[in-house]
mmCIF file of all heavy atoms in Angstrom:
data_model
loop_
_atom_site.group_PDB
_atom_site.id
_atom_site.type_symbol
_atom_site.label_atom_id
_atom_site.label_comp_id
_atom_site.label_asym_id
_atom_site.label_seq_id
_atom_site.Cartn_x
_atom_site.Cartn_y
_atom_site.Cartn_z
ATOM 1 N N LYS A 2 42.398 37.123 33.881
ATOM 2 C CA LYS A 2 41.665 38.247 33.305
ATOM 3 C C LYS A 2 41.346 37.964 31.835
ATOM 4 O O LYS A 2 42.219 37.558 31.071
ATOM 5 C CB LYS A 2 42.506 39.511 33.424
ATOM 6 C CG LYS A 2 41.707 40.789 33.218
ATOM 7 C CD LYS A 2 42.556 41.978 33.576
ATOM 8 C CE LYS A 2 41.731 43.239 33.414
ATOM 9 N NZ LYS A 2 42.527 44.423 33.762
ATOM 10 N N PHE A 45 -8.180 16.217 -0.871
ATOM 11 C CA PHE A 45 -6.933 16.991 -0.911
ATOM 12 C C PHE A 45 -6.340 16.970 0.490
ATOM 13 O O PHE A 45 -6.999 17.358 1.460
ATOM 14 C CB PHE A 45 -7.200 18.433 -1.349
ATOM 15 C CG PHE A 45 -5.958 19.211 -1.678
ATOM 16 C CD1 PHE A 45 -5.492 19.301 -2.980
ATOM 17 C CD2 PHE A 45 -5.234 19.847 -0.673
ATOM 18 C CE1 PHE A 45 -4.337 20.011 -3.285
ATOM 19 C CE2 PHE A 45 -4.082 20.566 -0.963
ATOM 20 C CZ PHE A 45 -3.632 20.647 -2.277
ATOM 21 N N LEU A 47 -2.346 16.578 3.021
ATOM 22 C CA LEU A 47 -0.900 16.440 3.167
ATOM 23 C C LEU A 47 -0.642 15.160 3.948
ATOM 24 O O LEU A 47 -1.232 14.939 5.014
ATOM 25 C CB LEU A 47 -0.305 17.625 3.920
ATOM 26 C CG LEU A 47 -0.537 19.020 3.353
ATOM 27 C CD1 LEU A 47 0.180 20.067 4.207
ATOM 28 C CD2 LEU A 47 -0.078 19.109 1.913
ATOM 29 N N VAL A 56 10.183 3.646 2.788
ATOM 30 C CA VAL A 56 9.812 3.996 1.423
ATOM 31 C C VAL A 56 10.484 5.311 1.062
ATOM 32 O O VAL A 56 10.938 6.059 1.935
ATOM 33 C CB VAL A 56 8.279 4.131 1.245
ATOM 34 C CG1 VAL A 56 7.588 2.824 1.569
ATOM 35 C CG2 VAL A 56 7.719 5.260 2.106
ATOM 36 N N VAL A 89 13.953 2.428 -10.347
ATOM 37 C CA VAL A 89 12.954 1.438 -10.736
ATOM 38 C C VAL A 89 12.797 0.478 -9.573
ATOM 39 O O VAL A 89 13.601 -0.424 -9.376
ATOM 40 C CB VAL A 89 13.364 0.678 -12.011
ATOM 41 C CG1 VAL A 89 12.296 -0.342 -12.380
ATOM 42 C CG2 VAL A 89 13.608 1.644 -13.157
ATOM 43 N N ARG A 92 6.363 -0.026 -6.675
ATOM 44 C CA ARG A 92 5.572 1.152 -6.327
ATOM 45 C C ARG A 92 4.603 0.848 -5.196
ATOM 46 O O ARG A 92 4.048 -0.248 -5.090
ATOM 47 C CB ARG A 92 4.809 1.646 -7.547
ATOM 48 C CG ARG A 92 5.684 2.245 -8.626
ATOM 49 C CD ARG A 92 4.889 2.649 -9.846
ATOM 50 N NE ARG A 92 3.853 3.620 -9.526
ATOM 51 C CZ ARG A 92 3.018 4.133 -10.423
ATOM 52 N NH1 ARG A 92 3.100 3.771 -11.688
ATOM 53 N NH2 ARG A 92 2.115 5.016 -10.067
ATOM 54 N N GLU A 97 -4.700 3.729 -2.243
ATOM 55 C CA GLU A 97 -5.072 2.727 -1.249
ATOM 56 C C GLU A 97 -4.473 3.057 0.118
ATOM 57 O O GLU A 97 -5.105 2.817 1.156
ATOM 58 C CB GLU A 97 -4.630 1.333 -1.706
ATOM 59 C CG GLU A 97 -5.470 0.739 -2.820
ATOM 60 C CD GLU A 97 -5.196 1.363 -4.195
ATOM 61 O OE1 GLU A 97 -4.179 2.098 -4.328
ATOM 62 O OE2 GLU A 97 -5.988 1.117 -5.123
ATOM 63 N N LEU A 98 -3.252 3.612 0.141
ATOM 64 C CA LEU A 98 -2.643 4.010 1.408
ATOM 65 C C LEU A 98 -3.487 5.091 2.093
ATOM 66 O O LEU A 98 -3.714 5.032 3.308
ATOM 67 C CB LEU A 98 -1.222 4.525 1.185
ATOM 68 C CG LEU A 98 -0.507 5.115 2.405
ATOM 69 C CD1 LEU A 98 -0.422 4.098 3.541
ATOM 70 C CD2 LEU A 98 0.881 5.618 2.030
ATOM 71 N N LEU A 102 -5.231 4.850 5.826
ATOM 72 C CA LEU A 102 -5.064 5.836 6.891
ATOM 73 C C LEU A 102 -6.412 6.412 7.333
ATOM 74 O O LEU A 102 -6.561 6.859 8.470
ATOM 75 C CB LEU A 102 -4.140 6.969 6.423
ATOM 76 C CG LEU A 102 -2.705 6.541 6.062
ATOM 77 C CD1 LEU A 102 -1.895 7.734 5.582
ATOM 78 C CD2 LEU A 102 -2.024 5.868 7.241
ATOM 79 N N PRO A 106 -11.837 -0.493 5.120
ATOM 80 C CA PRO A 106 -11.492 -1.912 4.937
ATOM 81 C C PRO A 106 -11.247 -2.299 3.478
ATOM 82 O O PRO A 106 -10.367 -3.124 3.199
ATOM 83 C CB PRO A 106 -12.712 -2.651 5.500
ATOM 84 C CG PRO A 106 -13.342 -1.685 6.443
ATOM 85 C CD PRO A 106 -13.124 -0.333 5.827
ATOM 86 N N PRO A 146 -22.560 -32.240 2.049
ATOM 87 C CA PRO A 146 -22.799 -31.604 0.743
ATOM 88 C C PRO A 146 -21.813 -30.471 0.459
ATOM 89 O O PRO A 146 -21.466 -30.232 -0.705
ATOM 90 C CB PRO A 146 -24.234 -31.075 0.881
ATOM 91 C CG PRO A 146 -24.871 -31.995 1.862
ATOM 92 C CD PRO A 146 -23.799 -32.345 2.846
ATOM 93 N N VAL A 157 -11.016 -32.155 -7.832
ATOM 94 C CA VAL A 157 -10.356 -33.279 -7.150
ATOM 95 C C VAL A 157 -11.070 -33.527 -5.826
ATOM 96 O O VAL A 157 -11.767 -32.662 -5.300
ATOM 97 C CB VAL A 157 -8.860 -32.989 -6.868
ATOM 98 C CG1 VAL A 157 -8.104 -32.711 -8.146
ATOM 99 C CG2 VAL A 157 -8.691 -31.824 -5.893
ATOM 100 N N GLN A 162 -7.528 -36.939 -5.287
ATOM 101 C CA GLN A 162 -7.805 -37.776 -6.460
ATOM 102 C C GLN A 162 -8.642 -36.980 -7.463
ATOM 103 O O GLN A 162 -9.650 -36.369 -7.102
ATOM 104 C CB GLN A 162 -8.573 -39.043 -6.041
ATOM 105 C CG GLN A 162 -7.857 -39.905 -5.020
ATOM 106 C CD GLN A 162 -6.635 -40.585 -5.599
ATOM 107 O OE1 GLN A 162 -6.495 -40.719 -6.813
ATOM 108 N NE2 GLN A 162 -5.727 -41.025 -4.735
ATOM 109 N N VAL A 166 -14.733 -36.726 -14.551
ATOM 110 C CA VAL A 166 -15.217 -35.765 -15.544
ATOM 111 C C VAL A 166 -14.645 -34.397 -15.197
ATOM 112 O O VAL A 166 -14.760 -33.924 -14.061
ATOM 113 C CB VAL A 166 -16.758 -35.713 -15.573
ATOM 114 C CG1 VAL A 166 -17.229 -34.665 -16.583
ATOM 115 C CG2 VAL A 166 -17.341 -37.082 -15.889
ATOM 116 N N ILE A 178 -10.045 -17.940 -2.562
ATOM 117 C CA ILE A 178 -10.209 -18.153 -1.119
ATOM 118 C C ILE A 178 -10.200 -16.805 -0.415
ATOM 119 O O ILE A 178 -9.267 -16.020 -0.560
ATOM 120 C CB ILE A 178 -9.085 -19.045 -0.564
ATOM 121 C CG1 ILE A 178 -9.048 -20.389 -1.307
ATOM 122 C CG2 ILE A 178 -9.274 -19.277 0.929
ATOM 123 C CD1 ILE A 178 -7.881 -21.263 -0.904
ATOM 124 N N ASN A 185 -2.882 -4.143 11.483
ATOM 125 C CA ASN A 185 -2.672 -3.418 12.732
ATOM 126 C C ASN A 185 -1.875 -2.141 12.493
ATOM 127 O O ASN A 185 -0.653 -2.182 12.346
ATOM 128 C CB ASN A 185 -1.953 -4.312 13.741
ATOM 129 C CG ASN A 185 -2.820 -5.462 14.211
ATOM 130 O OD1 ASN A 185 -3.823 -5.256 14.876
ATOM 131 N ND2 ASN A 185 -2.447 -6.681 13.842
ATOM 132 N N PHE A 197 -10.141 -8.551 4.579
ATOM 133 C CA PHE A 197 -9.878 -9.903 4.095
ATOM 134 C C PHE A 197 -8.905 -9.844 2.936
ATOM 135 O O PHE A 197 -8.699 -8.805 2.318
ATOM 136 C CB PHE A 197 -11.175 -10.601 3.674
ATOM 137 C CG PHE A 197 -11.929 -9.861 2.601
ATOM 138 C CD1 PHE A 197 -11.641 -10.074 1.262
ATOM 139 C CD2 PHE A 197 -12.920 -8.951 2.931
ATOM 140 C CE1 PHE A 197 -12.317 -9.374 0.269
ATOM 141 C CE2 PHE A 197 -13.600 -8.254 1.946
ATOM 142 C CZ PHE A 197 -13.302 -8.470 0.615
ATOM 143 N N SER A 230 -6.998 -39.427 -20.688
ATOM 144 C CA SER A 230 -5.663 -39.993 -20.936
ATOM 145 C C SER A 230 -4.674 -39.564 -19.852
ATOM 146 O O SER A 230 -3.859 -40.360 -19.383
ATOM 147 C CB SER A 230 -5.167 -39.544 -22.310
ATOM 148 O OG SER A 230 -3.852 -39.998 -22.546
ATOM 149 N N ALA A 251 -2.756 -19.995 6.953
ATOM 150 C CA ALA A 251 -1.670 -19.482 7.798
ATOM 151 C C ALA A 251 -0.766 -18.529 7.013
ATOM 152 O O ALA A 251 -0.318 -17.506 7.540
ATOM 153 C CB ALA A 251 -0.854 -20.649 8.357
ATOM 154 N N ILE A 271 -2.032 10.996 7.834
ATOM 155 C CA ILE A 271 -2.600 12.173 7.182
ATOM 156 C C ILE A 271 -2.329 13.349 8.115
ATOM 157 O O ILE A 271 -2.901 13.446 9.194
ATOM 158 C CB ILE A 271 -4.092 11.991 6.902
ATOM 159 C CG1 ILE A 271 -4.281 10.844 5.900
ATOM 160 C CG2 ILE A 271 -4.706 13.281 6.362
ATOM 161 C CD1 ILE A 271 -5.705 10.456 5.650
ATOM 162 N N ASN A 274 -5.726 17.582 6.634
ATOM 163 C CA ASN A 274 -6.783 17.265 5.670
ATOM 164 C C ASN A 274 -7.470 18.540 5.199
ATOM 165 O O ASN A 274 -7.128 19.650 5.628
ATOM 166 C CB ASN A 274 -7.772 16.245 6.230
ATOM 167 C CG ASN A 274 -8.447 16.714 7.509
ATOM 168 O OD1 ASN A 274 -8.372 17.881 7.878
ATOM 169 N ND2 ASN A 274 -9.115 15.789 8.201
ATOM 170 N N VAL A 281 -5.594 27.179 -1.753
ATOM 171 C CA VAL A 281 -4.568 26.503 -2.553
ATOM 172 C C VAL A 281 -4.416 27.269 -3.857
ATOM 173 O O VAL A 281 -5.420 27.607 -4.502
ATOM 174 C CB VAL A 281 -4.947 25.037 -2.864
ATOM 175 C CG1 VAL A 281 -3.921 24.396 -3.793
ATOM 176 C CG2 VAL A 281 -5.063 24.225 -1.586
ATOM 177 N N ALA A 302 -5.127 27.465 11.778
ATOM 178 C CA ALA A 302 -4.277 27.342 12.971
ATOM 179 C C ALA A 302 -3.981 25.879 13.301
ATOM 180 O O ALA A 302 -2.846 25.531 13.662
ATOM 181 C CB ALA A 302 -4.957 28.022 14.157
ATOM 182 N N SER A 313 9.068 19.785 13.938
ATOM 183 C CA SER A 313 9.867 19.981 15.148
ATOM 184 C C SER A 313 10.329 18.661 15.755
ATOM 185 O O SER A 313 11.293 18.629 16.510
ATOM 186 C CB SER A 313 9.062 20.773 16.194
ATOM 187 O OG SER A 313 7.987 20.001 16.696
#
Side-chain angles (χ1 to χ4, degrees):
K2 196 171 182 180
F45 192 94
L47 303 182
V56 299
V89 180
R92 291 177 59 180
E97 286 75 13
L98 174 58
L102 298 179
V157 301
Q162 302 291 341
V166 178
I178 303 174
N185 292 294
F197 58 87
S230 176
I271 296 174
N274 59 13
V281 175
S313 69

